[in-house]
Amino acid sequence: MFRIEKVEHRYGDRTVLQDVSVELSERRVAVVGANGSGKSTFARLLNGLVVPTSGTVTVDGLDTRKDGRKVRARVGFVFQDPDLQIVMPTVAEDLAFGLKHRGLSKAEIDQRVEQALEDNGLGDLRDQPAHLLSGGQKQRLAIASVLATAPRYVVFDEPTTMLDLRSKRQISRVIAELEQPVVVVSHDMDLLEGFDRVLVFDEGRLVADGPPDVSIAFYLELMGAC
Amino acid sequence: MLSLYRPGDSVLHRAPAGPKLVVLLVTCLTVFLVDELWFTAVCGTVVLVLWRIALIPYRELGRQLRGLWVVALLLAVFQVWANGWHEAAMTVLRLLALLLLASLVTMTSRTSHIVDALESAARPLALVGMRPGRIAFLIGLTLRFIPLIREKAEEIRAAQRARGVERRPLALLLPLLLKTLTMADAISEALDARGFEST
Amino acid sequence: MKTKDLVYIALFAAIVVALGLFPAIELPFSKVPITAQSLGVMLAGSILGWRRGGLALLVFVLLVAVGFPVLPGGRGGMGIFFLPSGGFVLSWPLAALVVGYLTERLWARYNLAVALVPNLVGGVLVVYAIGLPFMAAVANISLGQAFTIMWAFVPGDVAKCVLAALAAVAVRRTHPLLAPVATTSGPSRSGTR
């Protein structure tokens, strides 16, 4: 469970989040908002990538300020641009990367990499250089690398923004089938189908919080959509 | 990026990388220290035999060390002219023997094995606060960056060509540096998110 | 070192590789083809400082040593270090370190003219001070003869100093990675920030 209490965050003298207090325990939570609304910063609070200027964020009781490392082991994070998330030159090496920093034995790493290749339909791409993958394949690899470390929660920051329509659908399906609770930041309304709860951010404030139909209607009105 | 390793099944391929590196180093030192033509010739012959054993065609060498034969030939001609036959034979033989041996080590050893050997050799550096265990990580990350930089360079070049800017080195270099630095910041965030702890 | 420092090290090692992929340019005043890789040596030092810059080039030399074809024309492997020109590549980590050290010393009053100093000293003097004796030893020639072979590259290297200085000054304005150093404190404190 994520607990965000009276959080404010500033970059220099620019306030990006203010007065945010919320508890997240649902299986599928979405976060929407315009560019610059603070939603990406909110996502980064959840695994301690960003520590709030004031207020506290805890994950299952672990404070991101003090236990950042433990929190990050618990909360996987998938970024918008897979190119910037894949850090090793080949598919198998990238899958192994996160595991190497979990203190696992070499045999166990190899076994989990094989498992991840199989589970994610990446088996044929084992030794493929990452830069030769398609956009959709890259995002699948990025997600697979995160899942290989068996996080308890997964946070997605606009996971489909860079993708074409077909890849978007594939990634939506991957997210829908996840067992872990997820928090997804997205502009993509299709992706949010079947979610339990949607938060709406505007200018650094949490302005709506409720079931998807209510929140999304509010969001569309806010955006001036007709 | 593919390495210069040439897969094979010879004794040399199976030999561990560490000892091969030590042999290379020791040979290099002795050849310079002994400084005798007959000794250098013996070394050269042994290296040629090793190439036969490794079953690697000699033309592979040309790919790794382009211009090598031109350099060797020019050097030979110059040495004969300046120092006479004996010195010429000595210098050229020494150069070729060491080059062939070094290239043989490169071509018969997987990069990951050489990295492992270097990491263990550098382990004492941990005493002065360095982290030799980072070598493999840094090499992997560098290899990952190379295609990303190329992509960015091509993007910038295309964008500039569309605006009519052609081939001005700084006009390419500067945006490339700024873009890749921003990219590096994002990648370092991703590394942190993926549990890489730097301290 | 922070994660970011390690990423910058890998980034600049990769930039040096990428610079080797650009086609060699022939300068109008000397007919020698020059490659841009030694430009990367100066950039690494003057943008990252002595510690990260030196390590970036050390990673590059390791890439060559373990057998990646990262030098111009797809050359690489340990054989490179036994060629007469091998000393030039081997000098790069120290060269970047010297460029970085001087840059950090001059950081407070860094501008285009000032930026040339580290590049010339580290990126040219240090490189030749190691490269030429190495060449003389391997090829069994005198230092003077080695210089006769290599002097044609000097104009290109000086041109690279100017280019690197222009780039470093501009990067400093928008993306400075070095902290201002008080003249009394050592570079070891500023380089890691």
Side-chain angles (χ1 to χ4, degrees):
Chain A
M1 188 176 69
F2 297 97
R3 177 177 288 150
I4 293 94
E5 269 177 301
K6 299 196 199 94
V7 158
E8 176 171 301
H9 193 69
R10 287 188 300 267
Y11 289 114
D13 50 8
R14 197 162 52 91
T15 304
V16 287
L17 281 178
Q18 50 185 321
D19 195 25
V20 179
S21 292
V22 66
E23 273 181 24
L24 306 175
S25 54
E26 289 80 1
R27 213 168 136 247
R28 272 150 186 40
V29 177
V31 179
V32 299
N35 294 327
S37 61
K39 59 187 193 309
S40 275
T41 306
F42 179 77
R44 283 162 172 73
L45 288 174
L46 299 177
N47 77 338
L49 270 182
V50 169
V51 173
T53 314
S54 68
T56 55
V57 178
T58 59
V59 181
D60 298 338
L62 295 167
D63 190 331
T64 58
R65 189 173 277 123
K66 292 179 216 127
D67 290 313
R69 186 172 190 159
K70 281 186 199 152
V71 168
R72 280 188 285 280
R74 202 168 276 240
V75 185
F77 198 101
V78 177
F79 292 82
Q80 175 179 349
D81 185 352
D83 258 333
L84 303 180
Q85 170 152 10
I86 299 168
V87 294
M88 286 291 123
T90 67
V91 171
E93 284 174 276
D94 195 67
L95 286 168
F97 175 80
L99 299 169
K100 280 186 185 158
H101 297 280
R102 293 276 191 281
L104 300 174
S105 71
K106 198 174 177 318
E108 181 152 8
I109 292 174
D110 288 346
Q111 188 248 321
R112 286 225 220 167
V113 167
E114 292 309 322
Q115 189 67 42
L117 286 167
E118 196 180 311
D119 292 351
N120 295 281
L122 297 167
D124 299 340
L125 302 171
R126 199 178 194 295
D127 294 311
Q128 184 87 339
H131 68 277
L132 297 181
L133 303 178
S134 72
Q137 287 172 329
K138 282 180 189 166
Q139 192 58 293
R140 256 158 65 207
L141 170 60
I143 295 175
S145 293
V146 167
L147 295 179
T149 61
R152 286 199 206 170
Y153 307 91
V154 188
V155 177
F156 293 84
D157 185 15
E158 304 198 31
T160 58
T161 307
M162 315 274 287
L163 305 179
D164 63 36
L165 209 53
R166 180 183 301 176
S167 307
K168 265 187 214 292
R169 294 216 181 97
Q170 283 178 352
I171 297 301
S172 301
R173 205 161 49 234
V174 170
I175 295 174
E177 285 167 5
L178 284 183
E179 287 161 19
Q180 294 94 330
V182 297
V183 177
V184 180
V185 174
S186 185
H187 289 291
D188 188 354
M189 295 302 149
D190 297 340
L191 178 62
L192 307 183
E193 213 169 284
F195 270 59
D196 305 312
R197 183 176 174 187
V198 177
L199 312 181
V200 183
F201 278 84
D202 188 44
E203 296 185 349
R205 289 175 188 276
L206 178 58
V207 292
D209 176 4
D213 44 342
V214 180
S215 288
I216 288 175
F218 181 88
Y219 173 61
L220 293 177
E221 197 178 322
L222 187 73
M223 294 294 103
C226 8
Chain B
M1 177 174 276
L2 287 178
S3 78
L4 297 162
Y5 170 69
R6 292 286 161 268
D9 195 32
S10 71
V11 188
L12 284 157
H13 283 87
R14 276 172 286 158
K20 279 189 274 191
L21 290 174
V22 173
V23 168
L24 175 60
L25 200 66
V26 170
T27 311
C28 175
L29 288 174
T30 35
V31 164
F32 270 93
L33 287 176
V34 174
D35 206 24
E36 291 281 349
L37 186 55
W38 67 267
F39 182 75
T40 313
V42 169
C43 284
T45 316
V46 172
V47 172
L48 283 179
V49 172
L50 289 175
W51 268 74
R52 290 293 304 162
I53 293 173
L55 293 172
I56 292 174
Y58 294 113
R59 70 186 138 78
E60 289 282 329
L61 192 67
R63 291 187 26 192
Q64 255 190 72
L65 307 164
R66 195 167 317 155
L68 162 67
W69 306 118
V70 181
V71 170
L73 190 70
L74 285 177
L75 184 61
V77 172
F78 178 82
Q79 287 292 336
V80 172
W81 172 75
N83 302 320
W85 285 101
H86 185 266
E87 282 288 294
M90 183 70 206
T91 308
V92 176
L93 258 179
R94 185 174 62 198
L95 176 81
L96 288 177
L98 291 175
L99 264 172
L100 282 162
L101 185 62
S103 302
L104 194 59
V105 174
T106 297
M107 284 194 260
T108 58
S109 314
R110 282 182 193 280
T111 52
S112 57
H113 294 171
I114 304 181
V115 170
D116 288 347
L118 289 176
E119 281 190 349
S120 9
R123 212 170 284 152
L125 288 178
L127 296 173
V128 293
M130 290 175 81
R131 299 275 295 268
R134 291 268 170 76
I135 295 175
F137 163 72
L138 281 170
I139 286 180
L141 191 58
T142 304
L143 293 175
R144 170 70 190 129
F145 263 125
I146 295 167
L148 287 177
I149 294 169
R150 290 179 78 170
E151 275 168 32
K152 286 277 172 273
E154 266 148 39
E155 271 171 33
I156 294 167
R157 204 179 278 164
Q160 289 184 337
R161 211 167 273 155
R163 288 185 297 155
V165 183
E166 292 283 342
R167 275 199 78 108
R168 286 200 356 242
L170 196 65
L172 175 62
L173 185 62
L174 194 54
L176 184 63
L177 284 169
L178 295 174
K179 268 197 180 200
T180 53
L181 282 168
T182 312
M183 195 169 83
D185 294 341
I187 287 184
S188 107
E189 189 184 36
L191 281 166
D192 282 335
R194 293 182 62 181
F196 179 81
E197 301 289 333
S198 47
T199 44
Chain C
M1 272 196 170
K2 291 188 178 158
T3 307
K4 220 173 231 186
D5 296 319
L6 295 168
V7 176
Y8 288 145
I9 289 168
L11 172 67
F12 273 80
I15 285 177
V16 178
V17 176
L19 286 170
L21 301 170
F22 287 118
I25 318 161
E26 270 186 27
L27 289 175
F29 41 87
S30 77
K31 280 287 146 204
V32 190
I34 57 160
T35 69
Q37 281 190 322
S38 56
L39 179 67
V41 179
M42 302 174 200
L43 291 172
S46 53
I47 293 173
L48 297 182
W50 73 271
R51 206 165 168 207
R52 293 174 297 190
L55 286 170
L57 269 296
L58 189 62
V59 170
F60 177 83
V61 170
L62 285 175
L63 277 177
V64 176
V66 303
F68 286 101
V70 292
L71 286 162
R75 293 177 304 145
M78 260 166 299
I80 290 296
F81 303 129
F82 294 89
L83 283 173
S85 56
F88 289 95
V89 176
L90 284 170
S91 77
W92 285 351
L94 183 66
L97 187 145
V98 171
V99 173
Y101 177 82
L102 294 173
T103 302
E104 287 181 27
R105 287 266 130 169
L106 300 166
W107 193 241
R109 50 206 152 103
Y110 201 70
N111 60 37
L112 183 59
V114 171
L116 285 172
V117 176
N119 292 349
L120 283 167
V121 176
V124 182
L125 272 182
V126 171
V127 170
Y128 282 80
I130 295 173
L132 290 178
F134 187 99
M135 176 179 264
V138 171
N140 192 17
I141 55 180
S142 72
L143 259 180
Q145 286 163 336
F147 185 70
T148 314
I149 297 168
M150 296 306 294
W151 76 269
F153 289 92
V154 175
D157 286 328
V158 173
K160 280 182 264 185
C161 286
V162 178
L163 192 56
L166 284 165
V169 167
V171 170
R172 179 181 189 261
R173 211 175 301 134
T174 51
H175 211 125
L177 297 178
L178 297 172
V181 201
T183 38
T184 46
S185 73
S188 56
R189 286 170 54 191
S190 59
T192 52
R193 233 160 261 166

